[in-house]
Amino acid sequence: MFLVISMVLNVLLIGTVWWGYSKLGYVNERVLVDVYRNISQLEELITDQTEDDWSNPTLVTTKMEDLFWALITSMNVGAETNMLSQAELTALIDLQVYLQTYEPVEPFKETNDLTESEKLRYENFGQILSKINFKDDSNDDINKGFILKKVEELVGEL
């Protein structure tokens, strides 16, 4: 009787650990999807602002800030859950370091004053994003491997 109870409890324990691990994987993937979607939206906004003669650059700078914070969240979740390899974390860190070279924008501060060199820099970044094709125009399920491959390609182009 003791052996049967022990086996049942062990099976329950293993099931609980497996369930928790799968939930961690889901959370990790969702924060990576947020990074991907922010990159995709940033690419669109840069293209739109370039075509619209930078009528509202705040859209681009705010999305850049959103991407920056999504990267930090993704790195923290990936590192704390050990769901990302060192190479994957390094790619995210390299992208975050690159984004730090842009002037930080104070939250909720409207800034419609970008210099011509800043506009050109954003446009160059948008061209790199277009080259790698971050457009989110498919209904396919975007997964962790796909996102990290795109981020690594992006870091390689920077």
Side-chain angles (χ1 to χ4, degrees):
M1 181 73 156
F2 179 72
L3 183 61
V4 171
I5 292 172
S6 175
M7 287 174 33
V8 168
L9 289 175
N10 281 330
V11 168
L12 287 174
L13 176 64
I14 290 170
T16 302
V17 169
W18 177 82
W19 181 77
Y21 188 77
S22 68
K23 288 294 182 186
L24 285 177
Y26 176 79
V27 168
N28 187 48
E29 195 159 299
R30 293 296 96 200
V31 295
L32 282 170
V33 166
D34 192 35
V35 167
Y36 184 83
R37 294 243 162 88
N38 277 311
I39 292 172
S40 175
Q41 291 167 358
L42 180 61
E43 176 186 348
E44 253 180 69
L45 287 171
I46 291 171
T47 301
D48 291 347
Q49 286 302 303
T50 300
E51 292 171 356
D52 203 20
D53 198 29
W54 290 91
S55 63
N56 192 359
T58 303
L59 296 172
V60 173
T61 56
T62 302
K63 185 51 68 178
M64 182 71 89
E65 186 178 9
D66 292 346
L67 172 57
F68 180 81
W69 289 110
L71 275 168
I72 289 176
T73 301
S74 185
M75 289 183 303
N76 287 338
V77 169
E80 293 298 321
T81 60
N82 291 320
M83 299 296 277
L84 295 176
S85 70
Q86 189 60 44
E88 293 166 339
L89 274 173
T90 300
L92 293 172
I93 290 168
D94 289 346
L95 180 55
Q96 185 248 343
V97 166
Y98 174 79
L99 294 180
Q100 282 181 324
T101 64
Y102 287 82
E103 280 297 312
V105 178
E106 293 179 33
F108 308 114
K109 178 183 177 187
E110 297 232 356
T111 176
N112 285 323
D113 299 329
L114 288 180
T115 66
E116 288 303 315
S117 66
E118 290 171 328
K119 291 175 187 176
L120 182 61
R121 198 158 174 238
Y122 277 112
E123 289 171 11
N124 289 337
F125 186 55
Q127 289 172 353
I128 293 170
L129 294 176
S130 293
K131 179 180 176 184
I132 296 173
N133 190 19
F134 273 97
K135 294 226 187 267
D136 190 15
D137 57 1
S138 70
N139 291 329
D140 298 338
D141 189 29
I142 301 169
N143 63 32
K144 172 186 162 186
F146 176 78
I147 295 167
L148 290 170
K149 180 182 172 218
K150 289 286 191 179
V151 169
E152 288 171 356
E153 285 179 48
L154 175 58
V155 168
E157 290 291 323
L158 301 175

